[in-house]
Amino acid sequence: MRDIKVLRTAFGILGNVFGVLLFMSPMITFKRIISKRSTEQFSSIPYVIALLNCLLSVWYSLPFVSPDNLLVTIVNSIGAGLEATYVLIFLIFAPKKEKAKICGYLFVVFSIVSCVALISLLAFHGNKRKLLCGFAFTTSCIMMYGSPLSVMRLVIKSKSVEYMPFFLSLAVFICSISWFIFALLGKDPFILVPNVIGTLLGAVQLILYGIYRDNRGVVKKDEMNESIETRTGELQDKKLAYNEDA
């Protein structure tokens, strides 16, 4: 029993390390946003969803909801702080219409978290409280892990891993599998289920990287060749039209 507890703690710490790295990974993007003073075409939705997930994760892992999940509380408290900072940067540099949308998203996020917290405190106790908070946490976590699907689709379509960095995919895989083992040893289905999905998606990303790793930049070359061919064709058409007129 003691060995299982030590092993669970070790995987929880590993999950914390890679979890923090994942939460910090968008910093390069936000450095660019701050330097250009514009959010350009970047979307705030992934960060809003991540904030929702972190807040629900923190609530679920509190001792009066789900005991022995201190490591989950720590990493998601850090994550909530970072995601809130990212959303705040969007609010500062986004256009007015986008700011209004972000405020709407935040209203929904805080409404959901407040409802889950109040209902779980006032209407439920013991296992029923854990069940309600666990379902809310698992749902938000699956939503967050589902966000790379669009990138994976782009990789398959373009046959290039240009927009799917290897180390980010590796961090997703290691982080997910660490929390998966942590949940398995602690017999916690609400942490287990989303991290099974996260592990599978992380593995698929690594497989895609292995398949298309040699195609980096090929898409750009193809696009350039296509553009050159198109322009050449247009010039030839113009030349023929000129000769006919002459």
Side-chain angles (χ1 to χ4, degrees):
M1 180 67 74
R2 186 177 178 183
D3 290 341
I4 291 175
K5 192 172 183 179
V6 170
L7 194 61
R8 182 173 183 261
T9 302
F11 277 103
I13 292 171
L14 187 64
N16 268 23
V17 171
F18 281 92
V20 171
L21 289 174
L22 280 175
F23 287 130
M24 292 175 67
S25 61
M27 283 187 173
I28 297 172
T29 298
F30 284 94
K31 184 179 178 182
R32 172 177 168 174
I33 289 172
I34 292 169
S35 64
K36 293 194 173 185
R37 303 186 66 81
S38 170
T39 55
E40 299 178 280
Q41 300 300 315
F42 294 109
S43 173
S44 63
I45 293 175
Y47 307 102
V48 174
I49 292 174
L51 177 61
L52 173 64
N53 176 67
C54 288
L55 292 173
L56 289 174
S57 300
V58 169
W59 185 258
Y60 170 75
S61 61
L62 292 175
F64 56 84
V65 177
S66 173
D68 301 323
N69 278 324
L70 178 62
L71 290 170
V72 179
T73 308
I74 292 170
V75 69
N76 283 288
S77 296
I78 295 170
L82 288 170
E83 298 300 337
T85 303
Y86 299 151
V87 174
L88 179 61
I89 291 170
F90 262 97
L91 279 172
I92 293 171
F93 296 109
K96 287 184 179 180
K97 288 184 178 180
E98 188 64 24
K99 287 180 182 179
K101 287 182 181 179
I102 296 169
C103 289
Y105 298 149
L106 287 175
F107 176 78
V108 173
V109 165
F110 290 120
S111 296
I112 292 171
V113 175
S114 300
C115 286
V116 170
L118 288 172
I119 293 171
S120 64
L121 281 177
L122 301 176
F124 294 97
H125 301 280
N127 286 332
K128 288 184 178 180
R129 176 183 291 168
K130 183 178 179 179
L131 194 66
L132 171 68
C133 299
F135 272 119
F137 155 68
T138 301
T139 303
S140 67
C141 205
I142 290 171
M143 287 170 62
M144 187 180 74
Y145 276 132
S147 58
L149 288 172
S150 59
V151 177
M152 291 162 63
R153 186 169 62 249
L154 178 63
V155 169
I156 295 169
K157 185 178 178 181
S158 65
K159 294 181 171 54
S160 170
V161 294
E162 185 178 356
Y163 299 105
M164 191 179 71
F166 172 75
F167 288 107
L168 186 59
S169 300
L170 182 64
V172 169
F173 178 73
I174 295 175
C175 181
S176 299
I177 203 167
S178 299
W179 287 117
F180 162 68
I181 297 171
F182 175 87
L184 193 64
L185 294 171
K187 298 177 181 178
D188 191 326
F190 298 112
I191 299 176
L192 182 70
V193 171
N195 284 289
V196 168
I197 295 170
T199 301
L200 291 173
L201 288 174
V204 172
Q205 287 181 50
L206 291 175
I207 291 168
L208 288 174
Y209 194 92
I211 294 170
Y212 298 118
R213 70 182 185 278
D214 296 327
N215 292 0
R216 188 187 298 272
V218 170
V219 176
K220 285 187 175 181
K221 288 179 183 177
D222 290 343
E223 288 176 354
M224 287 176 64
N225 290 336
E226 186 179 349
S227 177
I228 291 168
E229 288 172 3
T230 302
R231 290 181 182 179
T232 303
E234 288 176 354
L235 287 171
Q236 288 176 346
D237 290 341
K238 287 180 180 179
K239 188 176 180 180
L240 286 170
Y242 176 78
N243 290 335
E244 286 176 0
D245 292 339

